[in-house]
């Protein structure tokens, strides 16, 4: 066990795992699971290396903004490194990449500047260069930065050799994006054992390397076609990749079909319990082709570049449903409890805890709760009795926020209402006043309006606006809002309740 002074110290030293069920029986296929990096991909290594190389060379100054054009793992790795080291980060990204990526980057504190999808990858890069030059930002240049290859020589390759403990590696299999992994690992494995074959996988519909056609300067490669393997084969052969090829590092190029990439990513999950992304499935597809032709007893090492978590909106998760399928519904119906086809029990008002108090004491406490409720109603024309962690209360809060309505939120489960059990005591008082035992309960001008459902209806039929106006409460009367969309996603109309 080690204690770390920084999350950045946990980058690398990822496990090499021998496949149990997917490999041919007489071949050892070992996968290097880069999802173990803190942000879930191989690019964490590069992010740290590029930033630290720039710090050492003095090209990156304390507090200077870092910028890179990236659609995914590089940006996420950089966001972690910049967050820990205190550099602002700007990522330029085409608008066509998934929303979850933008949100993830912004969650980590990065700013995301979108570029038109029609301008493709080169548009992202052009914008990054323009912003870097105009504002004096540090541009990472991952496709040509030697620090990207060097970190793989120093860490990834050494880890593989250490973990193999002298066993000969028949083949090492990788794809290429920037070519950092390819260039950095291949030269160390070849130096350790020239017999190790370096096998590069690429999409079958974008045979940039297999075609042997040289990369035209400043233009897309003629053989590039859009493909499924995000992070692999951009529309050009990068400088780092060209250098690895020129150094004679690449022994074989294996084409991989998109369906095989998806199938093997799914099989890794279901047969090996290893949860990885599409390029990992693709690399394994190539590694298994190599393994099938390898002499018995061989060791094949395969890179798995990232986690499967960030592919939920991609074809990898096609057919993975949110709702129960027929088989799951049948399982649900096979026992009597908690089903959708039997009526749910009506909620009962929360009982005041049975304490050993006299009826007279009880009446005093009840009167206190009544007074407290009136106090609350006197404080604001709009009052919501709520629970801090209730999704219906959140939905009501969202509507008020959209309308710009000021209101008093009385959070019955907050520490403020724990003294004398006031949060619990207010509930029967509220139930008596409103005729409903549920939370939230919203009051306008001291009069009950109802809960979240009634609030949404009142907005839709115009009566909410009238009541707010009658109390002199300012709100955005022109707001166009579909309140249904403010409800939690699991409440949207479902098929399985039928
Ligand atoms: N797979 C994925 C998912 C990636 O994000 C990347 C990085 N672009 C790669 C593979 C390729 O790695 P490298 O850039 O080192 O060639």
């Amino acid at each position: 066990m080690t204690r770390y002074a920084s999350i950045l110290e946990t980058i690398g030293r990822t496990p090499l795992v021998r496949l149990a069920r997917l490999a041919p029986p007489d071949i050892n296929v070992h996968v290097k699971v880069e999802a173990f990096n803190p942000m879930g991909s191989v690019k964490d290594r590069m992010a740290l290396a590029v930033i630290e190389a720039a710090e050492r060379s003095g090209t990156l100054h304390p507090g200077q903004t870092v910028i890179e054009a990236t659609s995914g793992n590089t940006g996420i790795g950089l966001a972690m490194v910049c967050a820990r080291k205190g550099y602002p980060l700007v990522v330029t990204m085409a608008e066509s990449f998934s929303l979850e990526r933008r949100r993830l980057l912004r969650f980590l504190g990065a700013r995301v500047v979108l570029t038109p999808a029609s301008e493709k990858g080169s548009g992202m890069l052009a914008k990054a260069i323009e912003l870097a030059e105009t504002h004096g930002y540090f541009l990472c240049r991952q496709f040509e930065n030697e620090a990207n290859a060097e970190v793989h020589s120093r860490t990834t390759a050494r880890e593989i050799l250490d973990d193999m403990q002298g066993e000969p590696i028949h083949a090492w299999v990788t794809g290429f994006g920037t070519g950092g992994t390819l260039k950095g690992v291949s030269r160390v494995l070849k130096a350790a054992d020239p017999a190790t074959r370096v096998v590069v996988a690429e999409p079958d519909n974008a045979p940039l390397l297999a075609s042997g056609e040289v990369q035209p300067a400043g233009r897309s490669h003629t053989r590039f076609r859009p493909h499924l393997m995000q992070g692999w084969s951009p529309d050009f052969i990068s400088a780092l990749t060209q250098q690895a090829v020129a150094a004679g590092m690449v022994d074989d190029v294996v084409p991989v079909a998109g369906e095989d990439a998806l199938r093997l990513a799914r099989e890794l999950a279901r047969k090996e319990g290893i949860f990885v992304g599409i390029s990992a499935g693709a690399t394994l597809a190539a590694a298994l082709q190599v393994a099938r032709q390898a002499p018995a007893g061989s060791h094949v090492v395969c890179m798995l570049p990232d986690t499967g978590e960030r592919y939920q909106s991609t074809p990898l998760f096609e057919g993975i449903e949110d709702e129960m399928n027929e088989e799951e519904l049948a399982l649900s119906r096979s026992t009597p409890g908690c089903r959708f086809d039997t009526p749910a029990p009506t909620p009962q008002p929360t009982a005041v805890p049975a304490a050993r108090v006299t009826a007279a004491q009880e009446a005093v406490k009840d009167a206190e709760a009544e007074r407290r409720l009136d106090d609350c109603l006197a404080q604001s024309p709009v009052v919501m009795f709520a629970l801090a962690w209730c999704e219906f209360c959140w939905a009501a809060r969202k509507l008020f926020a959209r309308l710009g309505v000021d209101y008093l939120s009385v959070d019955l489960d907050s520490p403020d209402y724990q003294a004398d059990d006031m949060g619990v005591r207010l509930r029967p008082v509220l139930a008596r006043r409103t005729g409903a035992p549920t939370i939230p309960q919203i009051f306008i001008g001291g009069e009950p309006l109802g809960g979240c459902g009634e609030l949404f209806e009142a907005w839709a039929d115009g009566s909410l606006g009238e009541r707010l106006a009658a109390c002199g409460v300012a709100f955005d009367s022109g707001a166009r809002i579909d309140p249904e969309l403010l409800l939690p996603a699991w409440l949207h109309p479902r098929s399985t309740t039928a």
Side-chain angles (χ1 to χ4, degrees), residues 174-199:
T174 186
F176 71 94
T178 63
T181 312
L182 168 63
K183 181 180 175 189
V185 174
S186 61
R187 61 189 170 193
V188 173
L189 296 189
K190 288 268 190 202
D193 179 1
T196 297
R197 299 190 72 73
V198 169
V199 179

Side-chain angles (χ1 to χ4, degrees), residues 42-43 73 148 152 175-181 230-232 279 305-306 311:
V42 68
K43 302 307 284 196
N73 290 328
N148 176 4
H152 289 292
F176 71 94
T178 63
T181 312
Q230 290 188 30
W232 263 21
S279 73
D306 74 350
Y311 295 89

